[in-house]
Amino acid sequence: MRKIKNPWTHKEGYNCFGCAPENPFGLHMDFYEEGDDIICFWIPQQHYQGWIGVLHGGIISTLIDETAGWVVTRKLQAAGMTSRLAVKFHQAIRSDETQVTVRARVAEQKRNIAIIHVEVENAHGVVCAEGEATYFVMSKEKSEEMGFISCDVEKENLLPF
């Protein structure tokens, strides 16, 4: 498993709620590549709850959407934009969970449309939510216009724990 280098880190104005490390209100998500999968290990916090002690569904949806976007960034080497997001919530995730694992991969691709399947597991490995994100994959030229050149991984295997 290799940590993915964030290609946006030094871009002026970069303040993504999902993955910008300097966003004071953001999720500070990091991503790893393992085979065909893009994985995020994330630790919930109480201020992301909906009901008492339960992670907000909008935060879970954001975890799904952001991880799907990183599939496009790393696996398809392009910038992309969500055009549809469908989420199934199977069971609640506690806001004091020790870790949440988000795992995503390309399920289907036709021309500039990619369907990404995403699963969200609690710390016990139970799939609590699933998502299907439809992404518009931008051309190489449009990606470059947006400041995207490439997305690489660290040279060494790096695990978050």
Side-chain angles (χ1 to χ4, degrees), residues 1-4 28-34 39-43 98-103 154 156-161:
M1 184 177 310
R2 294 181 189 265
K3 187 174 195 290
I4 298 172
H28 305 139
M29 298 170 71
D30 286 318
F31 300 91
Y32 298 82
E33 180 178 54
E34 182 178 64
I39 302 168
C40 173
F41 303 101
W42 186 75
I43 300 171
T98 57
Q99 178 178 285
V100 170
T101 302
V102 188
R103 183 178 302 269
E154 298 288 344
E156 298 177 24
N157 285 341
L158 300 172
L159 294 175
F161 40 85

Side-chain angles (χ1 to χ4, degrees), residues 3 23 26 52 68 70 97-98 105 112 117-118 128 132 153:
K3 187 174 195 290
N23 183 330
I52 300 166
W70 278 80
E97 195 75 42
T98 57
R105 67 173 43 206
N112 60 350
H117 179 76
V118 187
C128 297
E132 182 178 278
V153 292

Side-chain angles (χ1 to χ4, degrees), residues 5 17 19 35 46 60 64 73-74 76 89 96 105 107-108 121 126 131 143 152-153 157 161:
K5 294 179 184 178
F17 178 71
C19 65
Q46 292 297 328
I60 295 168
I64 289 169
T73 301
R74 174 64 187 150
L76 304 181
F89 299 98
D96 63 355
R105 67 173 43 206
E108 182 180 348
E121 300 174 356
V126 176
S143 295
D152 298 315
V153 292
N157 285 341
F161 40 85

